[in-house]
Amino acid sequence: MTSPLPPLAEPRYHTKRDPSRETLGPAVAKLGDFIGRPRKRWQSKLNDVLLEIDPATGRLAHSLGIVGVPRQAGKTENGCVIGLHRTLIQPGARCWYTAQTGQAARDHWIQEVATPADRYLQSVAKVKYGAGDTRLVVPATDSQFRPMPPTAQYIHGKQADFLHDDEDWARSELEGRALDQAQMPATTTRYSIWPGVLILRTSTEGDGESTYWHAIVDEARANPNPSVVIADYGLREGEDPTDLDLVYRRHPAAGEGLTMETLEKMFATMPLSEFARAYGNRRTTTKMEIVTQGQLDAIETTKPLDPGPVDIGIAVGWERKDAAVVACGTIEGMPAIEVIDARPGVSWAPDFIGRLLATDHVKTITIDPKGPAASLAEELTVTHRDRILHATIDDQTIGTETLLSGVRNQSILLRADPDLRAEVSGMSIRHIADRGRALSRTKGATTIPRLEAAVLALRRWSAPPEAEMPAPLIWSK
């Protein structure tokens, strides 16, 4: 016997259903059932409103949907089922899905469109997986559904009847507005074609950089428009994100995909601000914390480094206004990072490094030969050819992951330095394809020469020793 579902979460805001209008919502629900994607209660509630038919025109009464829900609610799945339904009912339909990146869009689309279509709709739909030409085609209607990168250039000159913009919180103001401007001409000539143009924008609330998404939501709520549907779920202002029972009750997929066990696991492993954003759908006013202040408090120390040689990292700020030299050694046997020197400008660094190399305190010195440190790396390499190591992208990703793991597991120490702490607190991360995460020099709260130098030093300190080459064995007759 299955447990009864908890009551459906009360939304923070939801456009009301007009019961006098017919709706395509039940048809989308039937398709979802058929392809193994049954609609959750909140999805059906939304779709019944979003897909209302205006009796005066016979077409959709709403052309824009703005949907804000927490993570794991099923917003991506729902938009993809709506798009798939459109390809089955509209002759010549052109449907599109995009997310935070082109690769993410393709991955989500394959999971939510291609996979169920290949299994349940083989007789009516064909899926193509070619690089740059991934699409679902319905020959009987001559309709297509395609993933696309979130760039204005991609959809320029194309036509669109249905557009699903997913994860809008990840777009900058410039990226979002450029995509808007590209979508307008793509839909202009399609509004008169049944059942009418629909743009669906879905996202979780964002952080201090998510001005595009937040402006869309705020404008829609402040100035209601009969052509716009809004659905918004999550914690209310002032509610406690550490109250997991409350977070669960506010989540629209509670009991229908989200379990309390999952919520407890996420709460235990995520910074509180990110947990509140992701699962409480509460926007943060600052850049998302990668590590918490409590985690930094736990690993900060005023104790000096143990005696012995250290590994050195050198980095230059993004605009070449400052540079830093950081050491990695141990404090009472635990890996530890200390800022040796950091000053405005770069010209001081070669002489300083030369003096360090004249001592017995340095094992290695590592610098990124590209980016803002390129000219300094070139100068140091010429002067100290056998002593300067060039960091690779793998060094940067491994060093970043080592630092993040050390901070969160309290297996590393930071010698107290307010500027280093500020850089760690405001860090931003970029993903390097499938290699891992690395620091972003341009999207953090501040420039990060100390932090970047620390990552390089830590990487070199933690790298396994290189095996010595065996002496050559000479065979003679």
Side-chain angles (χ1 to χ4, degrees):
M1 180 176 179
T2 58
S3 301
L5 292 175
L8 176 61
E10 186 69 25
R12 294 185 295 210
Y13 188 98
H14 204 294
T15 301
K16 292 183 178 180
R17 169 86 167 92
D18 184 343
S20 70
R21 292 171 171 168
E22 294 184 356
T23 175
L24 297 175
V28 171
K30 287 182 180 179
L31 175 62
D33 289 341
F34 183 75
I35 64 172
R37 301 289 198 275
R39 298 302 80 207
K40 298 175 174 62
R41 290 170 296 169
W42 80 266
Q43 294 169 335
S44 291
K45 179 177 180 177
L46 166 67
N47 295 346
D48 287 349
V49 182
L50 183 65
L51 302 176
E52 287 179 347
I53 301 297
D54 182 351
T57 65
R59 297 188 297 273
L60 292 175
H62 312 289
S63 58
L64 176 62
I66 298 174
V67 181
V69 290
R71 190 180 294 178
Q72 292 190 3
K75 57 182 174 52
T76 301
E77 175 200 272
N78 191 54
C80 287
V81 174
I82 292 174
L84 185 55
H85 175 259
R86 178 65 71 93
T87 65
L88 297 172
I89 67 168
Q90 178 188 337
R94 296 297 180 261
C95 304
W96 305 87
Y97 170 80
T98 192
Q100 58 268 57
T101 66
Q103 184 61 50
R106 186 176 188 272
D107 291 344
H108 292 325
W109 185 91
I110 288 174
Q111 178 179 342
E112 303 298 347
V113 177
T115 300
D118 275 340
R119 183 173 183 181
Y120 297 100
L121 301 173
Q122 311 98 318
S123 62
V124 296
K126 307 301 179 185
V127 179
K128 300 181 179 181
Y129 293 93
D133 190 38
T134 304
R135 69 179 72 191
L136 175 139
V137 178
V138 180
T141 59
D142 186 33
S143 296
Q144 298 183 13
F145 191 6
R146 301 177 62 175
M148 58 172 273
T151 60
Q153 296 83 356
Y154 191 87
I155 201 171
H156 180 73
K158 296 179 174 66
Q159 294 181 321
D161 300 282
F162 173 75
L163 287 152
H164 182 188
D165 293 349
D166 200 8
E167 303 294 0
D168 269 334
W169 77 273
R171 304 191 216 296
S172 69
E173 187 79 19
L174 184 62
E175 292 167 339
R177 297 306 173 191
L179 193 57
D180 289 348
Q181 292 301 312
Q183 290 175 349
M184 290 175 62
T187 59
T188 298
T189 64
R190 311 292 287 185
Y191 281 90
S192 62
I193 301 174
W194 184 88
V197 168
L198 178 61
I199 298 175
L200 178 60
R201 290 178 172 146
T202 60
S203 186
T204 302
E205 289 283 11
D207 56 35
E209 294 183 355
S210 304
T211 54
Y212 170 70
W213 172 247
H214 296 165
I216 288 174
V217 174
D218 293 345
E219 171 65 20
R221 294 189 61 168
N223 299 293
N225 186 314
S227 67
V228 178
V229 170
I230 310 169
D232 183 44
Y233 290 83
L235 293 172
R236 276 65 167 168
E237 187 68 31
E239 290 185 335
D240 183 5
T242 67
D243 183 346
L244 298 190
D245 287 332
L246 177 61
V247 175
Y248 185 73
R249 292 199 306 272
R250 295 299 193 199
H251 198 292
E256 295 181 279
L258 180 78
T259 66
M260 179 59 78
E261 290 76 13
T262 296
L263 208 60
E264 290 170 346
K265 180 180 179 180
M266 295 300 102
F267 180 76
T269 57
M270 298 171 71
L272 180 58
S273 62
E274 171 61 358
F275 175 82
R277 186 196 73 79
Y279 288 91
N281 199 28
R282 174 183 289 174
R283 70 181 63 173
T284 62
T285 57
T286 59
K287 187 72 181 77
M288 183 185 73
E289 289 181 310
I290 304 299
V291 298
T292 68
Q293 297 303 306
Q295 288 170 329
L296 292 178
D297 288 340
I299 64 172
E300 198 170 62
T301 181
T302 57
K303 296 178 180 178
L305 291 178
D306 297 335
V310 295
D311 291 285
I312 299 289
I314 314 168
V316 175
W318 177 244
E319 297 181 347
R320 292 184 55 81
K321 293 181 179 179
D322 53 354
V325 179
V326 176
C328 183
T330 61
I331 294 178
E332 298 180 350
M334 182 177 290
I337 290 168
E338 178 179 356
V339 177
I340 298 178
D341 204 349
R343 305 183 210 170
V346 181
S347 60
W348 60 272
D351 183 62
F352 184 82
I353 295 300
R355 293 199 304 272
L356 279 180
L357 288 171
T359 71
D360 296 328
H361 305 312
V362 176
K363 288 192 294 184
T364 64
I365 293 184
T366 304
I367 189 170
D368 183 0
K370 301 178 180 179
S375 60
L376 177 59
E378 186 176 64
E379 181 177 351
L380 291 174
T381 301
V382 170
T383 308
H384 310 287
R385 182 173 300 276
D386 297 331
R387 304 292 303 276
I388 304 298
L389 301 178
H390 288 177
T392 66
I393 191 63
D394 287 334
D395 289 326
Q396 295 178 46
T397 57
I398 294 171
T400 299
E401 297 289 358
T402 302
L403 176 68
L404 292 174
S405 175
V407 171
R408 289 172 178 163
N409 297 328
Q410 298 182 23
S411 58
I412 191 173
L413 295 173
L414 300 182
R415 185 90 190 276
D417 183 289
D419 293 320
L420 175 61
R421 180 170 180 135
E423 292 182 19
V424 175
S425 298
M427 80 166 77
S428 183
I429 297 296
R430 59 193 174 103
H431 291 262
I432 310 296
D434 59 353
R435 291 185 174 185
R437 298 175 294 177
L439 301 175
S440 171
R441 297 184 179 114
T442 60
K443 292 187 176 180
T446 181
T447 58
I448 56 168
R450 297 166 185 82
L451 176 59
E452 186 178 353
V455 163
L456 298 181
L458 178 62
R459 162 56 181 159
R460 193 53 51 200
W461 183 88
S462 60
E466 294 184 3
E468 293 186 7
M469 292 293 293
L473 184 60
I474 301 174
W475 292 87
S476 59
K477 294 182 180 180

